[in-house]
Amino acid sequence: IGPFEAWLCIRGMRTLPLRLRQHEASGLEIAAWLEEHPKVRRVIHPGLESHPQHELARRQMRGMGGLFSFELDADLDGVRRFVNALSLFRIGVSWGGFESLVLPVGAVEAHRKGGRLEPGDLPVGFVRLFIGLEDAEDLRRDLEQALARV
């Protein structure tokens, strides 16, 4: 690692605990809100009491982070409309940044297989979210307007 990259790491480490607390708090807030939404079948977040391993996660972890999944009650076109309607979330898989990201994992798999899913495949509506450092209420509003298009 070069000197500039080392400096960037040191600079980022100073605020890491604050950023991780914000990812966790906003992530849990968004996950709990999604869990109550009628267009969401289920939310998979170990910080929610509904998660089958919630107690284990609480015993073994000091925080839950901002990365979780949910299952959207939608077909491939509905998932596409949902993702395309988002304005604060970007499509991506780099879970370590500060920006909120979405990855429609089930829809990508379904598209790749020409819509012919097999037993054991992820449901078409399986979506992974990374909640970044944007205001949680802004993220909720963005998700809400996107869910309205499903």
Side-chain angles (χ1 to χ4, degrees), residues 2 19 23-24 32 41 51 56 60-61 65 101-104 110 113 119 124 132 135-136 141 148:
R19 289 183 283 124
H23 287 301
E24 177 183 18
R41 289 186 180 150
H51 191 279
L56 177 65
Q60 292 183 345
M61 298 164 47
L101 300 172
V102 60
L103 187 63
K113 292 184 170 188
V124 171
D135 182 73
R141 279 195 298 271

Side-chain angles (χ1 to χ4, degrees), residues 21-102:
R21 280 196 295 273
Q22 187 63 44
H23 287 301
E24 177 183 18
S26 294
L28 191 54
E29 181 179 334
I30 297 293
W33 175 79
L34 282 171
E35 193 170 45
E36 300 299 320
H37 199 283
K39 293 186 180 176
V40 173
R41 289 186 180 150
R42 66 185 172 132
V43 177
I44 305 164
H45 188 302
L48 295 174
E49 290 183 14
S50 61
H51 191 279
Q53 294 182 321
H54 173 73
E55 287 306 318
L56 177 65
R58 288 186 52 82
R59 283 195 313 270
Q60 292 183 345
M61 298 164 47
R62 288 185 291 199
M64 303 296 167
L67 177 63
F68 66 94
S69 300
F70 72 98
E71 187 180 346
L72 188 58
D73 188 10
D75 61 9
L76 189 57
D77 287 333
V79 174
R80 188 176 293 119
R81 285 192 308 273
F82 167 75
V83 171
N84 288 338
L86 292 167
S87 61
L88 295 180
F89 289 81
R90 299 290 179 241
I91 296 174
V93 296
S94 177
W95 311 120
F98 60 85
E99 61 277 329
S100 292
L101 300 172
V102 60

